[in-house]
Amino acid sequence: MKELVVISGKGGTGKTSLTASFAYLAGENTILADYDVDASDLHILLEPKIKKTYQFYGGKKANIIKEKCIGCAKCQEICRFDAVKNVDDKFEINKIDCEGCGYCYRICPTDAIEFKDNLSGEWYISKSRFSSTLIFAKLDIAEENSGKLVTEIKEVARNLANENNKDLLISDGAPGIGCPVIASLSNANYILIVTEPSLSGFHDLKRILELVKHFGYSAGCIINKYDINKKITKEIEIFSHNNELEIIGKIPYSDSFPKSLVLKQTVVEFDKSDIGKTVENCWGKLQSKL
Amino acid sequence: MKISVASGKGGTGKTTFAVNFSLFLNNIKKNKIVLVDLDVEEPDCHIFLKHKNFKRKKCFREIPKVNEKCNLCGKCSEICEFNAIAVTNTKVIIFPDLCHSCYACIEMCPQKAFDIENIEMGEIHWGNIASNNFYFVEGKLKIGEVMAVPMIRQTKNFSAERFGENSYFIFDSPPGTSCPVIEATKESDFVVLVTEPTPFGLHDLKLAVETMRKLRKKFGVVINKAGIGDQSVSEYCYNEKISILGEIPYSREIAELYSQGKNIINLPSINKIFEKIHKNILSLL
């Protein structure tokens, strides 16, 4: 089984639109995973039927039992996350600020603090409208540990692929360069970076590629909207050549992307001519990398 | 005054809005304007400021370092909720990437067997831009560093200490709805949610709205790239009684200016839109 992870560093480059198109082209014999657990969007285009729902416990949270609290303020003194608030000489923990370290729970002299598992999201095994299996998640608002959730669903996706003898897992990676994206990359066979020729796009490409190399993965890139700024496209091509980043393809700016999105179609379903063909060519080239 | 600019979805124009709104305020306000880039994983504001000589300082986070007093009792490993410490028969192993700097192990160790070690997590860059009253601060997470929140917190604290309470702060927040966004918005007086009129934009806007409601923040919506998609974002805002602060139309000209790292506030039609957005924010504060 091979895993292709699509990432972008910068948002809005077309990562999810392209991932959905590859999912369409790969057909039913594929497993799909969405690691953007903060704001997962892949399911909008794949309109999956949810088969099974699982709960995600991201960690624990502390809570002060009012009746037992004697107001000694020890918890407030040691909390490094300023999560303990003083309300009329009684103390309360702000759940959003609580990091779940348990320090207060351990040192409270009257055992007035409980420390319980915190339900922080859900994840789903579903069937996409292309009949392939899609695993995606929804982290609750203002929750932590999205990296842990990514790791959890990645394991499920990889196991499902292996158990069902699927050859390919296509994953929509998390944004940024921090813990969720690092978790997205683990064990990947090939990383596709979707970029755009803007100074910000190029800046973020350099940072995300440094991260990819830091962990020793091989990667290729697609330059989306390449004709918005041909000068920077040229610079990205030179940069790629010098940094062993293969250019998988260049896609021109096209309103087929937002138009197909509004109809909740992938761009390859919507535009069977120019853009569709270009994306198909990218897919052909990607398959040869896996 | 503190205003955060956020968005559920990436690439909606959050940074474009934060930079141009700061420039707009600098033109009309006597206050010190401080633009703070808290998107520490991919900070891009500086690209639009064309300023080369930033001052810089390194940022560190503190983790435990075991010393010779350790008798391998294993208490630290038992209490660490993040599995950042393992104790074997012969030594203590610390995993810096997993440590949240809560100090429980350091302060609860019966032998006092921990010292503190500083781990570099990134840099803060800052400088005076364009006029005497416009300052810029950015936090930049080091590549390979896992946790963005401590970096965001230090950047925010640094800005507050250096530029004082009477300044007008604009925070460019990271995308999403989890801990980094909370850190970048929780002390703000107002949050501008930037979105785009597509199903992706709408889906992620709903999550961002839920986040702001949970944090009990005053907020409003700016629709960027107006015209590329459909009306569903406007309809949603109308039904939910959410103020649309303004709409910035999509044009290829703006996309090209953006790609070159140029600002749009000098386009007369855009300046008018920012004037309206500013007025709408004031009326909601």
Side-chain angles (χ1 to χ4, degrees):
Chain A
M1 192 271 298
K2 300 283 171 82
E3 181 172 7
L4 167 69
V5 180
V6 186
I7 55 173
S8 68
K10 183 178 172 346
T13 58
K15 166 176 71 73
T16 301
S17 294
L18 288 172
T19 308
S21 295
F22 299 149
Y24 170 79
L25 294 167
E28 62 182 277
N29 218 7
T30 313
I31 304 275
L32 310 166
D34 191 346
Y35 299 144
D36 190 353
V37 297
D38 245 32
S40 76
D41 282 349
L42 191 59
H43 66 93
I44 296 171
L45 291 178
L46 302 186
E47 297 180 314
K49 284 200 177 72
I50 291 176
K51 298 284 179 194
K52 266 187 181 167
T53 301
Y54 299 83
Q55 293 182 323
F56 170 67
Y57 289 88
K60 294 179 172 177
K61 296 265 179 192
N63 179 44
I64 296 175
I65 305 158
K66 273 209 171 113
E67 299 72 45
K68 288 192 183 177
C69 174
I70 52 166
C72 72
K74 279 223 166 74
C75 52
Q76 194 176 38
E77 279 160 29
I78 55 91
C79 179
R80 295 308 199 280
F81 309 102
D82 298 329
V84 185
K85 314 281 176 228
N86 187 341
V87 186
D88 305 329
D89 284 336
K90 288 275 176 178
F91 290 83
E92 275 177 18
I93 290 172
N94 181 343
K95 204 176 156 219
I96 290 173
D97 288 333
C98 176
E99 190 99 352
C101 71
Y103 193 178
C104 58
Y105 150 78
R106 293 177 208 284
I107 56 118
C108 174
T110 58
D111 288 331
I113 299 178
E114 52 185 5
F115 191 49
K116 289 184 177 164
D117 279 332
N118 177 47
L119 178 65
S120 47
E122 284 184 340
W123 56 269
Y124 316 95
I125 296 182
S126 68
K127 195 172 189 182
S128 79
R129 63 183 171 89
F130 314 136
S131 295
S132 43
T133 301
L134 167 69
I135 293 110
F136 68 107
K138 186 175 185 295
L139 189 69
D140 287 346
I141 297 301
E143 286 296 345
E144 291 165 44
N145 256 326
S146 50
K148 190 177 166 192
L149 179 52
V150 171
T151 304
E152 196 166 312
I153 62 171
K154 185 175 191 111
E155 201 183 317
V156 172
R158 294 183 65 92
N159 286 342
L160 272 178
N162 285 325
E163 283 161 19
N164 297 293
N165 293 319
K166 306 281 183 188
D167 299 330
L168 184 61
L169 167 60
I170 303 177
S171 312
D172 194 356
I177 62 156
C179 84
V181 70
I182 292 172
S184 304
L185 297 179
S186 80
N187 291 313
N189 297 88
Y190 197 73
I191 313 283
L192 173 68
I193 307 174
V194 180
T195 188
E196 63 175 33
S198 63
L199 287 175
S200 335
F202 192 15
H203 174 260
D204 293 354
L205 169 68
K206 288 177 189 163
R207 267 170 83 76
I208 195 81
L209 183 65
E210 203 183 325
L211 182 81
V212 167
K213 297 241 155 136
H214 180 89
F215 289 103
Y217 296 104
S218 53
C221 102
I222 286 180
I223 309 175
N224 195 9
K225 317 174 203 177
Y226 82 88
D227 51 346
I228 283 276
N229 191 323
K230 287 186 177 159
K231 187 169 154 270
I232 298 178
T233 292
K234 190 79 213 159
E235 286 170 24
I236 293 176
E237 287 175 303
I238 294 166
F239 169 83
S240 301
H241 180 78
N242 293 336
N243 287 279
E244 290 159 36
L245 175 70
E246 188 169 357
I247 306 275
I248 298 295
K250 293 192 290 184
I251 302 172
Y253 175 81
S254 161
D255 62 4
S256 287
F257 279 93
K259 278 184 178 159
S260 59
L261 194 48
V262 166
L263 298 172
K264 296 187 181 167
Q265 287 182 352
T266 63
V267 75
V268 278
E269 291 167 283
F270 177 81
D271 184 334
K272 300 274 182 203
S273 55
D274 300 357
I275 297 294
K277 287 261 157 53
T278 312
V279 175
E280 265 180 57
N281 287 339
C282 291
W283 176 238
K285 204 162 168 190
L286 273 174
Q287 281 175 297
S288 72
K289 298 285 154 203
L290 288 162
Chain B
M1 173 66 61
K2 290 175 179 164
I3 295 180
S4 288
V5 183
S7 69
K9 183 180 178 322
T12 56
K14 181 173 59 60
T15 299
T16 304
F17 181 81
V19 172
N20 286 281
F21 191 59
S22 302
L23 292 167
F24 171 81
L25 291 174
N26 185 48
N27 289 338
I28 62 158
K29 286 222 181 277
K30 291 202 174 78
N31 302 55
K32 205 178 263 179
I33 306 294
V34 188
L35 171 62
V36 186
D37 197 339
L38 295 178
D39 189 358
V40 301
E41 293 182 46
E42 297 285 17
D44 283 349
C45 287
H46 68 97
I47 290 167
F48 300 88
L49 295 171
K50 312 278 180 233
H51 186 79
K52 297 270 182 263
N53 302 312
F54 289 116
K55 293 176 191 156
R56 38 181 77 214
K57 72 173 207 139
K58 289 193 165 142
C59 294
F60 301 89
R61 62 188 172 92
E62 295 179 337
I63 66 161
K65 185 185 178 184
V66 73
N67 65 31
E68 67 294 336
K69 291 181 207 149
C70 175
N71 66 359
L72 302 170
C73 76
K75 176 144 191 188
C76 50
S77 165
E78 221 172 87
I79 63 174
C80 179
E81 284 295 323
F82 309 109
N83 301 318
I85 309 183
V87 181
T88 70
N89 290 335
T90 53
K91 62 179 172 187
V92 174
I93 306 163
I94 292 164
F95 303 98
D97 283 354
L98 300 177
C99 176
H100 286 226
S101 307
C102 75
Y103 288 75
C105 59
I106 297 171
E107 293 174 3
M108 289 182 76
C109 172
Q111 312 301 323
K112 306 246 175 293
F114 284 110
D115 298 324
I116 289 166
E117 185 182 1
N118 282 311
I119 296 266
E120 190 187 332
M121 65 172 170
E123 286 187 0
I124 291 177
H125 303 159
W126 75 99
N128 181 207
I129 312 285
S131 79
N132 285 331
N133 255 341
F134 187 18
Y135 294 83
F136 172 66
V137 184
E138 104 178 333
K140 197 166 198 171
L141 191 69
K142 191 177 153 189
I143 305 274
E145 265 295 306
V146 175
M147 278 180 277
V149 172
M151 189 65 220
I152 295 172
R153 202 175 287 147
Q154 278 193 24
T155 308
K156 218 170 49 178
N157 293 346
F158 172 87
S159 311
E161 280 161 26
R162 182 150 299 245
F163 298 104
E165 288 301 309
N166 293 325
S167 303
Y168 209 109
F169 289 98
I170 304 294
F171 296 121
D172 189 9
S173 314
T177 59
S178 62
C179 32
V181 189
I182 309 300
E183 193 59 42
T185 52
K186 68 181 181 191
E187 287 126 21
S188 293
D189 303 295
F190 192 85
V191 181
V192 176
L193 298 177
V194 182
T195 188
E196 61 177 43
T198 65
F200 286 175
L202 174 64
H203 175 264
D204 297 351
L205 173 66
K206 286 179 184 170
L207 298 174
V209 165
E210 239 186 281
T211 311
M212 293 311 135
R213 285 183 173 160
K214 191 160 180 180
L215 289 174
R216 300 205 181 92
K217 289 285 152 201
K218 290 177 184 165
F219 66 92
V221 168
V222 167
I223 303 177
N224 190 25
K225 308 184 201 176
I228 58 163
D230 57 13
Q231 293 302 313
S232 54
V233 167
S234 313
E235 284 161 15
Y236 163 76
C237 290
Y238 180 78
N239 290 334
E240 289 282 319
K241 302 191 169 55
I242 295 166
S243 311
I244 296 177
L245 305 167
E247 298 190 23
I248 302 169
Y250 178 81
S251 80
R252 189 159 170 135
E253 186 195 0
I254 293 177
E256 284 174 11
L257 285 173
Y258 171 83
S259 79
Q260 298 157 16
K262 289 184 179 155
N263 293 311
I264 55 175
I265 195 65
N266 296 327
L267 302 172
S269 61
I270 297 293
N271 199 290
K272 266 205 188 106
I273 295 169
F274 275 77
E275 240 170 63
K276 186 182 148 203
I277 292 172
H278 181 236
K279 212 179 268 172
N280 285 335
I281 292 173
L282 289 180
S283 74
L284 290 168
L285 275 169

